[in-house]
Amino acid sequence: MASSSSSGLTFKLHPLVILNISDHYTRIKAQSQPPPTSSAVNDAVSSPPPPRVFGCVIGVQRGRTVEIFNSFELLYDSSTHTLDRAFLENKQELYKKVFPHFYVLGWYSTGGDAQESDMHIHKALMDINESPIYVLLNPSINHAQKDLPITIYESELHVIDGIPQLIFVQSSYIIETVEAERISVDHVAHLKPSDGGSAATQLAAHLTGIHSAIKMLNSRIRVLHHYLLAMQKGDLPCQNSLLRQVSSLLRRLPAIESEKFQDDFLMEYNDTLLITYLAMFTNCSSTMNEMVDKFNTAYDRHSRRGGRSAFI
Amino acid sequence: MDPFSSAAIARQTWELENNIVTTTAANDNSAASDAIFYYDGAAQDAFQQEKPWANDPHYFKRVKVSALALLKMVVHARSGGNIEVMGLMQGKTDGDTIIVMDAFALPVEGTETRVNAQADAYEYMVDYSQTNRQAGRLENVVGWYHSHPGYGCWLSGIDVSTQMLNQQYQEPFLAVVIDPTRTVSAGKVEIGAFRTYPDGYKPPDEPVSEYQTIPLNKIEDFGVHCKQYYALDITYFKSSLDCELLDLLWNKYWVNTLSSSPLLGNGDYVAGQISDLAEKLEHAENQLSHSRFGPLIAPAQKKKEVRKTITFASFIT
């Protein structure tokens, strides 16, 4: 059912949506299966498959970019295949009050693959948004896979066997984030010390983050390099589109050498150095101040033995 | 990441050294550790009847915040820019721990003079709680959060009186403050959880926790009320699925980590902090010239403050 989409829309997904869906799923799963007692052996095979959860995704569409910011739950009756409209409208109202810019972009669900029954829900949402998107999260934990188990489907009208039908087609997406989101996701992902500890541990944690990011960049570049070498040797068929992308990337690199860039960069660099210098200066003067105090204490007590004993 | 990469080993060593206990075990027993998501209505009701906090003002000592709640609160706080925003948190209690499972924003614009949410916010609250209950979130409202953009995590005079009122009528209730500006500029989440002492209660002298710089114009408000509430320890938890997803998310995230630059985002905030520091130093200097023995006491405070701002400044650079 899924082939690649041709609508040309770019999708941007925020991590908040991912966590929302995961939380919804975990919640429903936990409610339906009370926690096992500590003595019972956990046998995943015997428990029934966890129920699917459904919800709505909201966000903004600007031109050809669709940005998904948030999501909320929906009530869906799987026996009668009906969506609770009143609930949906109610929730929409509430969210409109707090986030006036967002509107319904589509819906989400959990499961392994898109199913036939999903088309019903999709069609039901078409009167709110004429081209809704369907976000599918696969909650089965697979340690081997490297990619996020999330797929975004769009619906397209295809002619199959002479009958025009709506089918789901897969689209690619990128993860978009704002700085605050990134920091909190980072924070929770690596469970950094929340009390701050000392400045040293904070700095260490921050640098570790940057270090792993740079390692990732390095490994990716190495992979690209390896691939290009293989193509050159003739091991792999030449893919012109890829070569074009690589060459455009390489052509952008010299932009960093231009004079204007150097000027701006040095100006910023100088600003940071100035602040650090100022900080060091203040630190030095306060240490010196302290030293003078200690000196005074130590030496005064010697000379004025009978005088003021409680100097501080 | 594969289990033998140096990054994974480094992380595990670090976690071991810092006694990090994740609620999700690394092995396959995920159902037991996701138990925190199970809402036991009967147990919660029984706890409500008991009211063990009525006798001990210092009863609740810890807070556990879910990953989702934290993300929602920080994003909401940041989206307010320089305006204070507020919202409510839903969750449950567990002995002396308050567990925050979720948070939602309230459509009110908070200013320093507004004490409580207005009537339409109450309506929103009720509506939202009802729809949530239908959708499967059974927890009750267990606290409120608001943001202090740029001036630190503490309770102002108004906040203290609001929270005291809440603690009289809506127990158990928790107050959380988030500073989104400092979060972004320092690269770590600035959050604090507080509960107030009832009127007239004299708290035992506790050691001053982490010192934070507070702008001069707010410092009076801070000082007057800082003894009327105490801070709770915050830990975070996430489900096994969350763990997985966050790990995989990192694969796409590293680009953002590299490309983020705290300087660009917070240039004016940093400049503000430095000018505030300059004012404080002048203040200290004036105090110095006024008294003879004063110099030994006052600058000690100022020095600590100065040192804190220095580490903060050098950290962001």
Side-chain angles (χ1 to χ4, degrees), chain A residues 15-16 18-20 22-28 30-31 34-35 42 73 75 87 90-91 94-95 97-98 137 139 141-143 145-149 175 177 179-196 202-203 206 209 212-217 220 268 272 275-276 279 282-283 286 289-290 293 308 311, chain B residues 6-7 11 14 20 22 29 31-32 34-35 37-39 67-68 70-72 74-76 78 101 105-107 124 127-128 131-132 134-138 183-184 187-189 210 234 236 238-242 244-246 248-254 256-258 260 263-264 270 274 281 292-293 296 303 306-307 310-311 313 315 317:
Chain A
L16 178 57
I18 303 178
L19 274 185
N20 254 337
S22 147
D23 174 76
H24 188 197
Y25 172 77
T26 318
R27 232 188 307 144
I28 301 290
Q31 303 290 357
N42 206 16
E73 309 87 5
L75 288 182
F87 185 83
N90 209 357
K91 270 296 228 221
L94 291 175
Y95 270 85
K97 282 203 200 144
V98 192
L137 175 94
I141 301 174
N142 186 352
H143 292 282
Q145 72 179 68
K146 290 297 190 86
D147 246 341
L148 276 174
I175 302 283
T177 181
E179 187 59 21
E181 223 174 345
R182 179 189 76 79
I183 294 179
S184 31
V185 166
D186 220 19
H187 192 103
V188 189
H190 303 301
L191 284 175
K192 293 198 188 113
S194 59
D195 60 351
Q202 274 184 45
L203 194 60
H206 181 243
S212 20
I214 296 183
K215 246 170 43 133
M216 197 56 123
L217 179 65
R220 291 284 209 260
E268 258 196 58
T272 15
I275 299 186
T276 330
T282 333
N283 207 358
S286 92
N289 201 348
E290 238 172 74
D293 284 340
R308 3 180 184 153
F311 189 68
Chain B
S6 51
R11 191 217 308 198
W14 179 88
I20 303 284
T22 46
N29 212 6
D34 280 345
F37 287 88
Y38 177 68
Y39 181 74
L68 180 66
L70 178 71
L71 193 56
K72 277 194 177 170
V74 173
V75 169
H76 181 219
R78 181 66 175 162
M101 312 282 310
L106 283 177
Y124 181 92
D127 251 342
Y128 194 93
T131 51
N132 256 357
Q134 280 180 298
R137 178 173 292 292
L138 310 165
T183 300
V184 176
K188 93 177 219 299
V189 182
E210 177 203 348
I234 305 183
Y236 304 99
K238 47 191 172 160
S239 69
S240 46
L241 183 60
D242 284 343
E244 267 297 307
L245 291 173
L246 288 171
L248 292 170
L249 205 55
W250 175 247
N251 283 343
K252 314 250 175 173
Y253 243 42
W254 55 274
N256 292 61
T257 318
L258 276 181
S260 74
L263 282 178
L264 289 175
V270 173
I274 296 190
L281 282 172
R292 273 191 77 199
F293 292 116
L296 303 163
K303 269 180 240 155
V306 159
R307 193 152 288 156
I310 290 164
T311 43
F315 179 68
T317 56

Side-chain angles (χ1 to χ4, degrees), chain B residues 256-296:
Chain B
N256 292 61
T257 318
L258 276 181
S259 54
S260 74
S261 165
L263 282 178
L264 289 175
N266 289 289
D268 41 352
Y269 173 64
V270 173
Q273 284 289 90
I274 296 190
S275 69
D276 184 66
L277 179 63
E279 265 180 49
K280 285 186 182 158
L281 282 172
E282 263 193 57
H283 230 249
E285 236 177 309
N286 288 339
Q287 272 197 327
L288 258 168
S289 51
H290 286 165
S291 65
R292 273 191 77 199
F293 292 116
L296 303 163

Side-chain angles (χ1 to χ4, degrees), chain B residues 145-316:
Chain B
Y145 69 90
H146 66 288
S147 66
H148 276 180
Y151 52 97
C153 293
W154 47 281
L155 289 182
S156 69
I158 314 275
D159 297 338
V160 168
S161 40
T162 316
Q163 177 63 9
M164 280 214 258
L165 206 69
N166 284 331
Q167 283 188 208
Q168 271 190 308
Y169 298 114
Q170 291 188 47
E171 279 283 51
F173 219 70
L174 179 69
V176 162
V177 182
I178 300 190
D179 186 346
T181 326
R182 283 203 190 168
T183 300
V184 176
S185 90
K188 93 177 219 299
V189 182
E190 281 281 319
I191 185 173
F194 308 101
R195 275 177 63 83
T196 49
Y197 293 122
D199 242 337
Y201 176 76
K202 186 92 173 65
D205 249 331
E206 31 175 87
V208 178
S209 56
E210 177 203 348
Y211 182 84
Q212 49 177 330
T213 45
I214 301 185
L216 257 184
N217 54 352
K218 307 265 184 208
I219 198 145
E220 248 187 73
D221 199 5
F222 171 73
V224 170
H225 299 280
C226 68
K227 284 287 171 219
Q228 292 179 306
Y229 54 89
Y230 68 96
L232 291 95
D233 277 332
I234 305 183
T235 45
Y236 304 99
F237 67 91
K238 47 191 172 160
S239 69
S240 46
L241 183 60
D242 284 343
C243 268
E244 267 297 307
L245 291 173
L246 288 171
D247 265 342
L248 292 170
L249 205 55
W250 175 247
N251 283 343
K252 314 250 175 173
Y253 243 42
W254 55 274
V255 180
N256 292 61
T257 318
L258 276 181
S259 54
S260 74
S261 165
L263 282 178
L264 289 175
N266 289 289
D268 41 352
Y269 173 64
V270 173
Q273 284 289 90
I274 296 190
S275 69
D276 184 66
L277 179 63
E279 265 180 49
K280 285 186 182 158
L281 282 172
E282 263 193 57
H283 230 249
E285 236 177 309
N286 288 339
Q287 272 197 327
L288 258 168
S289 51
H290 286 165
S291 65
R292 273 191 77 199
F293 292 116
L296 303 163
I297 309 163
Q301 266 313 94
K302 299 301 170 186
K303 269 180 240 155
K304 254 210 293 179
E305 168 116 19
V306 159
R307 193 152 288 156
K308 193 69 191 184
T309 326
I310 290 164
T311 43
F312 164 75
S314 54
F315 179 68
I316 58 158

Side-chain angles (χ1 to χ4, degrees), chain A residues 112-129:
Chain A
D113 212 351
Q115 292 163 17
E116 288 297 334
S117 52
D118 294 343
M119 200 36 102
H120 296 282
I121 313 177
H122 205 85
K123 290 204 177 119
L125 275 176
M126 271 184 170
D127 52 352
I128 306 184
N129 183 333

